[in-house]
Structures are given as C-alpha cells and as structure tokens.
Amino acid sequence: MSQFFTEAVLIATVASGIRLAVPLLLASLGETYGQRSGVLNLGVDGIMLLGAFGGYYAVLETGNVWLGLLVGIGIGILLGLATALISVTLRAEQGISGIGVYLFGLGMSDLLFQRLVGTPTPISKFPKLDIPGLSDIPWLGEMLFQHSIIVYVAFGLVPFSMFVINRTVFGMKIRSVGENPEAADSLGVSVAKVRYATVTIGGMLAGVAGAALAIDLGIFQQNLTNAQGFIAIALVYFGAWRPLGVMAGALLYGFVNALVLQFKTLGIIPQSWSDIAAMAPAVITILALVVVARRFRQPAALTKPFTRGA
Amino acid sequence: MTTAGNALRVRSRFVAYLVPIAAVLAALLLGAIMLVLLDADPIEGFKAMFQGAFGSADALTATALKATPLLFVGVGITIAFRANVINIGGEGQMVAGGLLATGVALGLPDWPAVIMLPTVLIAGLIGGALWGAVPGALKAYYGVNEILSTIMLNVVAVQLMNFLLRGPMIDPGEIERGTRIPQTARLQEGADLPLLFGSGRLHIGPLLAVLSAIAAYILLWRTPIGYRLRAVGQSKDAAQYAGMPVKRTIVLAMTLSGALCGLAGAVLVFGSESHRMVTDGSTAGFTGSAGFNGIVAALFGGLHPLWTIPASFLFGGLLVGGNALQRAVQVPTALILALNGLIVVFVVASDRYRRTLQERASEAETAARLAAEAAATPTGPPPDATPPEPPIDTRAEPP
Amino acid sequence: MNRHRMRGTWLILAVVFTLLVAACGGDDDDATTTTTGEPSGTAGQTTTAASGEAFRIAIVAPSASNDLAFSQSIVDAVNVVSAERANVEVDVTDGTFVVEDAAAAIRDYASQGYDLVIAHGSQYGGSLQEIAPDFPDVSFAWGTAADTFGLDNVFSYEAASDEGGYVMGVMAAALSESGVIGVVGPVEVGDAKLYVDGFKAGAEANDSGVTVNVNYTGSFSDVALASEAAQAQISAGADVLSGTAQMVVGAVSVANDAGVLWFGTQANQSSLGGIVVASQVYKWEVVLRDILDKIEQGTLGGTVYEINLDNGGEVIEYNPAFTLPEDVTQLAEQTIAGIIDGSISTGQ
C-alpha cells in the first residue's frame, strides 16, 4: 500500500480518473438536456461510436485534430436530428428506438473502419494545454491543469449547462416541456422544437464524446467505446438530471476505475482478483446512490411522446 | 354509411398490417444498396438470408433456437414494462441465470433428467430473479433508478462470469492441459435439454419459451397479481390509493422479469451445442445480445406476451438469416449488425403510424356499429356493448 | 402532421444513405478476404483437385480479420498456404464472438461440404466437439487448444506463446533502466495468461532484481481502460511495457507518447510506432501445410499441433525502426536458441 502514496502515483491516479471521466461527462451532459425535456435517448453509445470513427478518420486523413472534433460534432448533430425525428416527430417508443440506433452505430462504425482504414493506425492526439499559473501549483497543477484541451472543454460545459438549464429562457422551456408539455404547449412553447433542440444537443455532445475518446486515445477499433454510452446514460440518473450531479457521477466512476487500475498495477489487488476488482466502479456507483439516498423525481414527461390535444 | 365505414375499417386494418412489413422491407432495401456498394449480389444475398432463416427444416430449427432467448427476454421485458419498470438489464440477468444454473449443475451428482432438468432450470430462474430483484428493491426502497442499476449490474455480471469461469468453475482439464480456456466441463447429460423429435437439434427450449409467454399472458390478464402489476404501471398514485402494495409490486415486476431472463440464460447453457458455459470475456459472447434484442422483440409484439411469440420468431429469423447472408456473399459481419439496427429503427419509427391506423379502424368500427344500432332501434337505450378500451390495454391489442 | 412526417423521413433516409455510401463505397482494395480458386502462380503441383474441384477452406474467427492480432494471424496464414497451392477456395466468417453463432457457422460450412473448417477460437471447442461427429467426411481444425476430443476428424493447434513471451521478457529486462516492467493483459485466461506468465518468467530470469507489474483490465475490448492501465504502469515506474489482446492498441499509443518501450505479440505491431521493439508473430502456415498434406492423404484429424520457436511457427520479428543494441539482440538470439535446445525452460 505504501507504494501508492508516492507523489508520482497519486498524481497519475487523479489525472487518470479525470481522463476516464471526460467521455462519460460529455455524453451524459448531452443526455441530460434531452432527458430534462422528456426524451430518453438510449442510442448514445451508437452515436459515440460513429462520432469516434468520424473524428478518427478525419484526423487520419488530414492530421488536424480540430477537424476531427468538428466531424464528430457534425455526425453527432446529424444523428441527434435523426433521433429527434424518431422520438419526437414519429413518437416512437424511446427505449427501443435507441437500441436500434446503438446497433446501427456499432455495426456501421465497424464497417466504415474496415472499409476505409482496415488495421488500427495511430493518429495525432489533442495537444496538452498547461493552464498558465495554475499548472505550476505543486501536485494540484499536475493533477488538474496539465490535460489535453478537450478535458477543460468538458468540465467547462458543466457550469455552462447549469446556466443554460437553470437561468435562461431556453432552459425554462426545456424544464417545462419535460415536466408538463401540455401546460408548456398552452403557453405557446413548441414542445417539438424544444425537444428537437435538446436531443440534437445531446447527439452533438455524444458525437463529441466519441471523437474526444478516439482522438485522445489516438486510435480506433471496433466497439471503441465498449458501452461507455450506456454508463453515461446511467450517470444522468445518478446525477438526478443536474449537470453538477452528472459531473460527480462521471468523476466517481472515473476515479474508482483509475484507483482499481493503479491498485492492480501495484499488486495491492492480487492478480487473481482482477475481475472482481473490475466490478468496483459499477458497484460503488450504485452504493453511493443508496447511501446518499437522494430522491429526486425524474422529469414527469420522460419517455412520453407528446401529442397536441391528446 | 355502414358500407363506407366498413371500407375504411378494412382499408386501415389492412394497411396497419403492412406497416411493419413495409418498414422491414425499406430497411432491407437499404441493405441491398449496401450490398451492391460492397460488390456483393443482393439477390443472392437475400435468397441466402431467406433460405438460411426459413428455407429448410434445419433453417427453421436454427431460427426457433435463436428466437428462444428473445422470447423469454421479451416476455420478461413485457411484464416489467407493464408495471412501468424499464428493464435493460436482460444481459446481466441472463448471465446470472446461466451462472447459477451451471453452478448448481456442476455441484449435483449425476441425477436422472426428470429431477436434474427441473432443478437446474429453476436454478437459472432464481439466478435471474435475484439479479432482477436487486434493481427492483433498489428502485422501490432506495429510489435508485432501474436504468442506472440494471446498466451497472450488466457490468458486474460480465466480470462475475469471467471470474467464475476462469477460476472456481473452470474445467479441470483446462488446467491440466495448460490451455486455460474459460469454460466449464461438459455438464451432466441429465441436464441436456431433451430433443423434441428425438434427433436433430430442436430441443424443448422454444416450447418452454412459448409456454412462458402463455403463462405471462394468464398472469397479466387473468390473475389479481397481474392486475396489480398493470395498475401500478398505469398510475402508481392510483394504485397506492387503492391500497395496493406499490413497492412490493415493483420488486415483483423486476423479479419476474429477471427470472425469465435467467431462464433464457439457463436454456442457452443446457441447449447449447457444447452443453457447457463458456465466455469470450464479454456478455454478448454468451447472450448473443438477446438481452437487448429481446426488448426489441417485445416491442415488435406490441408488448403483449402472445404477440411476442411470432415477433421473436421473425426477429430470430432475421438474425439467423443475416448470418447466412454474410456467409453466402462474404460481406463483413458488421454490415449485418448495422442492418439489424436499421430494421429496429424503421419498425419502431413506423409503429406509431400503425397504431394510428389501428385506432382509426376501431373508431370507424365503433362508429359504424353505433350508426347501425341507432338505425335499428331509434328510441332504444344508448348502446353500451362496446365500452371504450381501458387505456391500460390499448397496446395489448393485436396488431 | 403528414407533411412533417414525410419531410422527416426523407431527412433520416438522407443521413442513413450518406453513411451507407461512405461505408461501402470506400477503398475496395481489401474487398473481404475471399480468394478465388484460380490456380495461383507457380507452386501448383498439388493434385487435390484432380477432378477440377477446388479444395475449400472455411475460417470462423471471433474478431475482425484485420485486427492486428488473433484473427488476422489465421487469415494471413490461410492466405499464404492457399497461394502456395492450386485451386484453393477460402471463405471467412469473422467477428463471430457469439459462440452459438459461431457454432451455426461451423455447422453450415460443414454441411456445405467444405474440406476443412477452421474454428479459430478456444471458446468454439465445446461446440465443435458436438458438431464434428455429425460430419465424418469433413476435417476440422480448432485452436488455440490442445485437445482433439479423441475424434479422428479434428486437428487442434496451439501456440507456445510462453516461449516468445519469455524471449520478450528477457529483452525487456535487459532494456529496462528503471528495473520496473509493466504488462497490460485482458482476462487471465488461455493464450493471454500463457504469454504473460512466460514474459514475467523471462524478465525475472534475466534480472532477478526486476519488478514485473501485471495488470489484467478485465476486458478484451476496452481500449480506454488498456490505455489508462499503461499510464498506471508508467506512473509506477515502468519504462518497458508489453501486453496482449486486441485492446492493447490503446496501451501502445500511451507508450508512444511517454517514450516507453513496447513488446507486442500475436501479430507484428511495428506499424504502431517506433517504440515497438519486437513482436512475437504466429505463423500458423507451419501447421496448416501439414494439415493440408494429411487431408490429401486421407487423414482428417487426430493431431495436436503446437507452434513454437523450434518449428518456426513462432517468430520474433524486430522493428526495423527501432535500433536494438547489439548485445540485446545477441541475448535474444541466445535465449531463442536455449529454448529450442531445451536448456532454457519457460517454467510453463
């Protein structure tokens, strides 16, 4: 255990937890918008995978990571629109249509990869950005302020989302549409427009999450996300539809994962218990919620398609 | 008046039947374009697909076997959905059921099949039930959302499977040979699912699945428990007001749902070619993603246990046929997965349109009858023979 | 409402269509892995198909056939062998990680009368044991495994990956300056365990003071976790890394950034970066040639094969982009020689 409490290891563990949290955070922030307005999108992982491939491929071809991110955004928006079309306009059963999108993304990203690339080929990654001043703080600077740019973007989106959801007119519309679409409709809010917007934002952030994952890893492979999109959805519930709570969930999941990896590496967790230890992030996430026992109510109209005058 | 109403009714009903079929065809058309772009012959491909799914006795057997876990899971999902609980933990529950059933089989002496088989199947049922009861209880008593807990428990289940199959439950022969393949020894023959026709590969699994669908139908619509489940699903507050134990009902819904998924896992083990449990390190390697695909089958069946039977069979056929297509024209398997996703999206997206048509048909039907009765007995009592369908049952209407 | 629906439908169709065209219209250079049965090139002296009928081989493999790892190793080998012989047809079903789907594919190929069906996945064995007796005229090969179930139409093949692992371990210990070496593994089973144990034994044999930290992430496919596991290894002082399974591409990428050395296995990973020192590569063609010869002579199974350093089935391929010190190359060659002549034991 003593090997764990060394400067290098402690710093690395915290930094690793933050990195692991980033794709989860991006995707679940996006999902938060949709769910607050009453739409459950179970297809996040499929959108992430396609965003990941798109971002990866763009960087592979051009070497420009920002273009990669942009492609991820574009793919995310397109698939977000498609998801909105399915669940808002066509009013499909949301739990199921998302599974279709997931399967489509899982297959299509792999197919695209096999046809256009073939073998995993490394690409350039996001540049690291040391925040001036802050990155020089001993310990803390290295843990928090020496990351790739996308990390700051992801965490920056937390206060931004809090502001949007809680303090803007658009946010008020989102919340009212999610709680009581009939009332919102009678006040002249277009339920469909608001939901299209939130689901598209959700898709966009899922696409960004995927592209960020691929570009941060510098590689693509079949099923790159390994179901992180589903974890991200779970974290929305963990965070009780609040950006800050979602961030807490993503960090908890990331940190426990990082801690387990570090403990395994140092032999604190014996090799033969590796799989049992790998359960820890999932179990602890559930337990944390039980212990905290917050009973936030979900948006009343979640998963319920809206029909005017129904 | 009546004739016009009838015409409308017939047309709408007819079109309603066609909607999901048209959706599948539209998805397949996209699949055909993909095949052309991949330099594969779509006609040959789809011929192979149909042949592989329905073209021979062997094909039908394969389809029935593929449909079996879909049906179990689909029925389980239906029960949960009816109580307004979303169970997306089918994957984990299947693994848990498979593991407990396998563990019990490994621990038992070589009993005759009459005792052995029920014992291990019930073990599977219990394994899945436990894995479902946990999120149920967490939801009911701790306010932990079931989507969160079922997703997390899927993660836990796969690690548990890997741990048990490479450790305590591994085939001793694998240690001896040093190959350490994470699988159990071949389980006792008493636990093999009996074959339906004495030979071939069709075992009693599909039959059990159909029976479970019928049982679920009876449970949901012919028993007080089923009424309670549906009432809680309809409105928790109203059910509470009516003095129903809402929390216990939620736990029950998840437990029943998990139990059926667990049974699916057990049937996968004892009905597999290898008659043992083996892992490739992922849940999907064992379940074939039936925990997800079963949800789709349930929806194709209108969340009605009986309609889930043909829905599972057709969906199973699509999956089996897709694999046959892949082999016949040599396209990447990923294409089949993408196509599978497209089919789901298209069918689900068109589902509301089907329901609208159906509602229009029943409205027309009612209107026609009202008109006819009004014409027959101008001064009679208002017709009460056709009360409006209770909202709780609208989705139970056969498509 | 209807107008809306129509517009929306066109939108989704457009999105989907764009993706499809992109997916399918791309480079067609590796248009799946089918090789036709044209008598290819020079080495066509075999007489399998005297009647003009092709010798048909089917491969069922769990991951993508170009995964730079396990599945690619068999597909490459079959392509090598089929190029050497006349009139060989190859069919591949890859990405079959669902065991029951693999069983269905194996059964289907067998019932279509393929001459050799290769079940390339340890997890397929249990199914094969049930299927093979139903097709006594079809030859099956199963790997990696060491059991033919006593059936005379099943071959099995395995890799002594501990041998290559041992050599890699020896080199790793020689190159490590910090005395700490990290290994990233998937799940502690089968081929992965064999390689990792051999690697560890080799490293410790070369330098008893060296520390080998082994980290099994719990997944064959989680690239992000493998990447962070590599980070953890580096923070714990490792300056040389190795790992096995398809998710290690994430770890190699981290090694690249940190300038830490990497040893690969299953396929040549030199393309992943200049820090890749060497890779243990499987050459299944060594086994396949013998299997095809046996089938021609009418023997359909019964042999357990092992590829190792001795029979040339396992080869250590050095990365030309990495300048390996002369003494380490010599040490590696001595170790290989020692394993081949039996003076060195990998401890397995």
Side-chain angles (χ1 to χ4, degrees), chain B residues 66 180 273 276 327 333, chain C residues 94 101 107-108 129-130 190:
Chain B
K66 192 80 183 172
R180 287 187 175 268
E273 290 264 16
R276 64 179 91 203
R327 285 195 290 279
T333 317
Chain C
D94 63 356
D101 285 352
R107 192 175 272 283
D108 188 43
Q129 189 173 3
E130 305 292 315

Side-chain angles (χ1 to χ4, degrees), chain C residues 238-255:
Chain C
D239 62 351
V240 182
L241 295 178
S242 184
T244 174
Q246 66 267 29
M247 85 297 171
V248 296
V249 288
V252 184
S253 157
V254 166

Side-chain angles (χ1 to χ4, degrees), chain A:
Chain A
M1 198 71 194
S2 62
Q3 328 89 292
F4 179 68
F5 292 104
T6 63
E7 183 179 344
V9 169
L10 277 175
I11 289 173
T13 309
V14 174
S16 166
I18 289 174
R19 281 193 303 268
L20 282 167
V22 164
L24 297 173
L25 177 59
L26 284 165
S28 54
L29 276 179
E31 177 78 5
T32 303
Y33 282 93
Q35 291 206 9
R36 278 307 274 272
S37 76
V39 182
L40 164 68
N41 175 12
L42 269 185
V44 175
D45 204 51
I47 301 178
M48 280 178 77
L49 279 165
L50 282 166
F53 175 75
Y56 169 81
Y57 188 60
V59 177
L60 184 70
E61 290 294 310
T62 66
N64 186 333
V65 292
W66 307 113
L67 192 72
L69 192 63
L70 215 61
V71 169
I73 291 176
I75 290 179
I77 289 177
L78 278 177
L79 287 162
L81 278 172
T83 304
L85 168 79
I86 297 163
S87 40
V88 180
T89 306
L90 300 178
R91 292 179 295 143
E93 188 71 40
Q94 291 164 11
I96 322 301
S97 58
I99 289 172
V101 174
Y102 162 62
L103 293 174
F104 175 73
L106 184 62
M108 188 53 71
S109 61
D110 187 20
L111 184 63
L112 285 161
F113 176 68
Q114 286 190 35
R115 301 302 295 177
L116 300 176
V117 185
T119 47
T121 312
I123 55 168
S124 42
K125 304 180 181 183
F126 285 120
K128 291 238 184 307
L129 177 69
D130 293 359
I131 306 277
L134 294 175
S135 63
D136 299 332
I137 305 173
W139 291 54
L140 221 53
E142 226 177 308
M143 287 176 187
L144 307 179
F145 302 111
Q146 296 186 10
H147 283 286
S148 67
I149 296 171
I150 195 74
V151 174
Y152 309 115
V153 173
F155 284 91
L157 277 173
V158 175
F160 177 78
S161 300
M162 288 166 72
F163 177 77
V164 169
I165 292 174
N166 297 320
R167 296 267 182 272
T168 64
V169 177
F170 177 55
M172 213 170 67
K173 285 183 182 170
I174 295 177
R175 283 178 289 139
S176 63
V177 163
E179 288 299 336
N180 193 341
E182 290 78 16
D185 183 59
S186 69
L187 290 172
V189 177
S190 165
V191 175
K193 268 188 196 157
V194 171
R195 287 185 173 174
Y196 257 87
T198 56
V199 174
T200 307
I201 292 172
M204 181 184 81
L205 287 178
V208 171
L213 184 68
I215 300 173
D216 228 27
L217 291 170
I219 204 90
F220 186 86
Q221 200 177 57
Q222 173 204 21
N223 191 16
L224 184 80
T225 59
N226 206 42
Q228 284 196 41
F230 286 95
I231 303 291
I233 295 168
L235 293 177
V236 176
Y237 292 90
F238 182 91
W241 300 273
R242 280 144 184 86
L244 216 52
V246 165
M247 183 181 80
L251 282 174
L252 177 69
Y253 200 86
F255 276 133
V256 176
N257 236 332
L259 211 59
V260 167
L261 284 175
Q262 198 73 58
F263 280 5
K264 281 184 194 169
T265 300
L266 298 173
I268 297 169
I269 295 171
Q271 203 169 307
S272 52
W273 287 84
S274 56
D275 353 49
I276 298 290
M279 298 174 185
V283 172
I284 289 174
T285 308
I286 297 178
L287 288 182
L289 209 52
V290 171
V291 171
V292 177
R294 292 170 311 173
R295 287 166 189 258
F296 288 106
R297 203 175 41 79
Q298 67 178 36
L302 188 58
T303 76
K304 295 187 178 68
F306 172 72
T307 318
R308 198 172 219 166

Side-chain angles (χ1 to χ4, degrees), chain C residues 216-229:
Chain C
Y216 284 103
T217 63
S219 165
F220 284 86
S221 54
D222 199 325
V223 182
L225 218 52
S227 150
E228 290 302 331

Side-chain angles (χ1 to χ4, degrees), chain B residues 60-222:
Chain B
L60 286 170
T61 300
T63 296
L65 293 179
K66 192 80 183 172
T68 301
L70 300 180
L71 182 50
F72 276 123
V73 174
V75 171
I77 296 297
T78 300
I79 294 175
F81 260 78
R82 288 286 171 185
N84 202 20
V85 183
I86 302 174
N87 178 14
I88 49 178
E91 293 277 289
Q93 290 147 15
M94 286 177 74
V95 169
L99 280 175
L100 191 62
T102 308
V104 166
L106 284 172
L108 286 178
D110 203 357
W111 285 354
V114 238
I115 323 170
M116 186 74 179
L117 200 59
T119 312
V120 294
L121 288 180
I122 288 170
L125 202 85
I126 293 173
L130 288 174
W131 218 253
V134 170
L138 286 173
K139 179 186 173 71
Y141 298 104
Y142 294 95
V144 176
N145 185 286
E146 74 275 18
I147 292 186
L148 177 139
S149 52
T150 49
I151 287 174
M152 294 295 174
L153 282 172
N154 287 347
V155 177
V156 175
V158 68
Q159 297 296 345
L160 186 65
M161 171 170 71
N162 290 346
F163 175 75
L164 289 175
L165 290 184
R166 73 171 175 79
M169 281 161 70
I170 197 172
D171 177 3
E174 290 301 326
I175 308 266
E176 249 169 64
R177 284 190 293 273
T179 35
R180 287 187 175 268
I181 300 168
Q183 63 182 15
T184 65
R186 194 208 186 282
L187 301 165
Q188 300 97 310
E189 292 195 0
D192 291 1
L193 289 182
L195 297 174
L196 270 184
F197 303 115
S199 65
R201 296 182 48 232
L202 190 61
H203 54 64
I204 60 166
L207 195 65
L208 292 176
V210 169
L211 288 177
S212 81
I214 296 170
Y217 173 74
I218 294 170
L219 174 89
L220 279 172
W221 278 280
R222 298 281 182 276

